[in-house]
Amino acid sequence: MKIEHIKGSRLKGLGNVTWTFPASPAYLLFKDETQQKSLIELLLKLFSPQTSPGSMKFFNNTSFLELVFSGDENNRCSIHQNYLKENNDFIPTSALIKDEITGQDVSLSDSSVLGEYIFGIKLQLFQLGVIVNWSDIDDLDQLRQRINNLCLSGDEELSPLKVKACFAGAMQKLNEQKGKIALVKAKYDTLRQDWEDSHRQQEEERLLIIEINQFQEGEAILANKIDSINKIQERLSLLNQNQDYRELRRLQTEIMNSEEEIRCAEINLTALTSNSIIEWEFLESLREECIEWADLQAQVKRYDHIIKKLTDMITQLKIFLETCGYEGSNEEKERMSSFYNERNSAQEQLNNSINYQEALQRTRLQYSEEKTRLQEFAEMTAITEDDKYRVERWEKQLKKWQTSKISRSIDHTLKNHLGRNSIEEKLRSRINRLYERFHVQNFEEFQNRLMKFREQKENIEKIQEQLVQLQTEIDNEEALLEIVHTRNELLNQTFFMTNVSDFPAWLDGWKSCNQKRLQLSHLHKKRQSLIESSEKETNKLHSFTESFQEKLVGWNIPVSDREDVLSAILKAAHELRAKDRAERRLSECSAKLQSMLGNRNLEGLSKKLEPLAELEKEALISDENRLARLTSWQNEQAEMHSKRLQAEQRLQLLQKRPSLVVLEEEIETVKKEWMSYESLLQAFHDAQKLFESSINTWEVNNGNALKYDAAKIVREFFSQREIGKPQSALDMAKRDYFAYRMAIAQLALNYNTKLPLIFSIGKMPDDQNLWNDIIEYLTDLSRSRQIILTTTNSQVSEKLKEVGWTQIVG
């Protein structure tokens, strides 16, 4: 990567420039160091901007910088950077990158940096490997210090020894603060304890206040209950003294209702006599007859209403009985009961039959298992009682022969002298052959095996009998199923007709149906009786009506008005009847009320005894229970009052402590001070650890390579001196400083010779030989990478011309 062209307008510190760089090493001669530094600053801001363009205020463009780069494979790109002026300073905007081959713009992401895109390195590596500033220091100690810094950290301005000394001093100051921080922590613990005590006391105060309020509310509730029960007791005593109060109240209500009826009747009569052709005197003359006539008509209407109501009930009962599906006879009940019982009995037997099926399966399985066990004794089948006795006899003979003295001599003679088997051996052989046949060892095993065989045989016979019985029971299943099926059909048909689900419901319906039939008969009789009575009353009413009509003829009332007059008289008759009845009832109730009341005040009794229903409900409670309840409430009230006083005393005795808010603020302040120290201490340890780790890592990774490269540079370019010519320590330090600085530049770029090197120098070193060696090194380095030297020293310019360097003028 090489810089071909740099062009700028109104650049800060540079003005207008147009520089074209050749492939050979070149140099720029500036008037002063400000221009030299301005170029470096512009390049740094261009390739690694420190200010976000989004934060800049917009001004008119005042300057620009344009760079053209070429790389391998004829790759070329240009960078155009505009600058905005703000507060007498030039601030760069975002750069425009253009590919000179394709003519297309290159877009960078928001997180990309131009230097990283162009050179592929970070800012720190750019400053170390691309831009090299020659130090004009002439102090031997400072130069040696910079060389030592380069060896230890790779940064000539960073002294690890000084940093470590600063760390040590800072640690000492932090350690001096430990005593103070210990007091701060102790104060924090004390404040925390005070806060907990205050919080606990505040919570205790809150709970005590809640408890006191609860006690006060409880006392008020109990006081209301006690007062209420005392008032109830007083009202009950008053009610016991006035046990006729309910009757008095009823009479008072009757009097009020009667007075209201009289008033309404008088209003209606007044309206009737004023709006019709009849007069009040005429009605008064017929008062008794009108009342009797109205009574008859009301009685006829009452009969008609009751007869109509009974007729409706009879009709409903007839419809129900016709559609209910019940015959109602006892024979029907007996027949349905018989079907129901037969069905249940057959179903129960079927249920048991299901159990028989399961039992049959289990019994068959058991029979199979027992037969398998019996086969184990198959050889015992042919044994009879005679065989048993025979074996028993042979055992006795053998034992008898074994115990006989003569048998021993006979067996001895047969065996030893005649060479034949002894009698004992023959007997034993015969018994053993029999035992082998029956798989036993002795007579006892033979008996046991025979007994087990017979027991097993008896078990099988019993199981066979059970199988026969179970099969017999199961054979009845078809007949039972037929009974259940036919009875269910008959029952379900009957249940469907009567709209019931089972026999108990059918039986309840049958009973209800019979009761309704009896009720229907009773209603018929009652209605007939009422019809007869109604006919009698109706005849009387007709007689009264005809009598009134005859009187109307005698009163010379026109025929056209007789119906209206008769209707008006009938209405008046009803009103007179109602008024007469209300007056009689008023007179009776008033007399009775005065007689019962005496000198008592009914209004005063009402205020104390009402509501009467509640009081009568309380009267059902015994005096003993009420007294027990009152005593319990009084004791509870006294106990609650005592507890409230104790809680109030405890609340007064609590020590007043600081406010929680004040304590929390003090705790937060102390905690911040303590935590700040802890955070600072931790951060210091982390920084020290990180620094030491970074220094050690750098020294391990780059220390030897740096020394090797620096020694190589000194050996190849600074060892051509005349032998015997003395060198000052300062010149040697400058030589070593240059070698180490250029070695750092190579290490920073990982020996990448594609990137340019911008070497800035101020004044020329006093040692011309040293400067000649430096120029020789840079000239040699220009063969592999672009070298651009910037200086303000004309002597340096003359020296570079002599060795063939090109001066850039623009």
Side-chain angles (χ1 to χ4, degrees), residues 242-279:
N242 300 274
Q243 295 183 357
D244 56 353
Y245 172 72
R246 180 174 288 278
E247 180 63 18
L248 293 174
R249 191 178 64 172
R250 188 191 67 80
L251 291 172
Q252 186 183 37
T253 303
E254 288 289 336
I255 291 172
M256 293 173 62
N257 293 337
S258 299
E259 290 175 347
E260 180 64 20
E261 289 182 13
I262 292 171
R263 188 180 65 82
C264 292
E266 290 177 349
I267 292 173
N268 293 335
L269 285 171
T270 303
L272 187 62
T273 55
S274 62
N275 295 332
S276 64
I277 57 177
I278 60 174
E279 297 179 354

Side-chain angles (χ1 to χ4, degrees), residues 600-637:
R600 292 177 294 177
N601 186 352
L602 185 57
E603 184 178 355
L605 289 176
S606 298
K607 290 181 180 179
K608 294 180 180 180
L609 297 179
E610 295 295 342
L612 187 60
E614 175 186 343
L615 192 59
E616 289 177 341
K617 184 178 179 181
E618 288 289 337
L620 299 176
I621 303 173
S622 64
D623 294 339
E624 292 78 7
N625 291 339
R626 189 176 292 103
L627 180 60
R629 187 167 55 179
L630 177 62
T631 304
S632 173
W633 287 345
Q634 289 174 343
N635 294 336
E636 187 177 356
Q637 184 185 32

Side-chain angles (χ1 to χ4, degrees), residues 68-107:
V68 178
F69 289 89
S70 64
D72 296 338
E73 300 178 358
N74 295 323
N75 293 329
R76 298 178 73 249
C77 67
S78 63
I79 303 172
H80 188 88
Q81 174 72 69
N82 291 325
Y83 293 87
L84 304 178
K85 188 174 183 181
E86 181 180 0
N87 297 329
N88 296 324
D89 193 6
F90 290 96
I91 300 175
T93 62
S94 55
L96 176 64
I97 309 171
K98 185 177 181 181
D99 191 330
E100 295 293 330
I101 303 299
T102 62
Q104 296 180 351
D105 295 336
V106 178
S107 298

Side-chain angles (χ1 to χ4, degrees), residues 635-652:
N635 294 336
E636 187 177 356
Q637 184 185 32
E639 183 180 358
M640 196 172 294
H641 179 73
S642 175
K643 290 181 179 179
R644 179 174 61 81
L645 293 179
Q646 293 175 4
E648 290 175 350
Q649 291 176 358
R650 291 200 306 271
L651 182 61
Q652 292 176 357

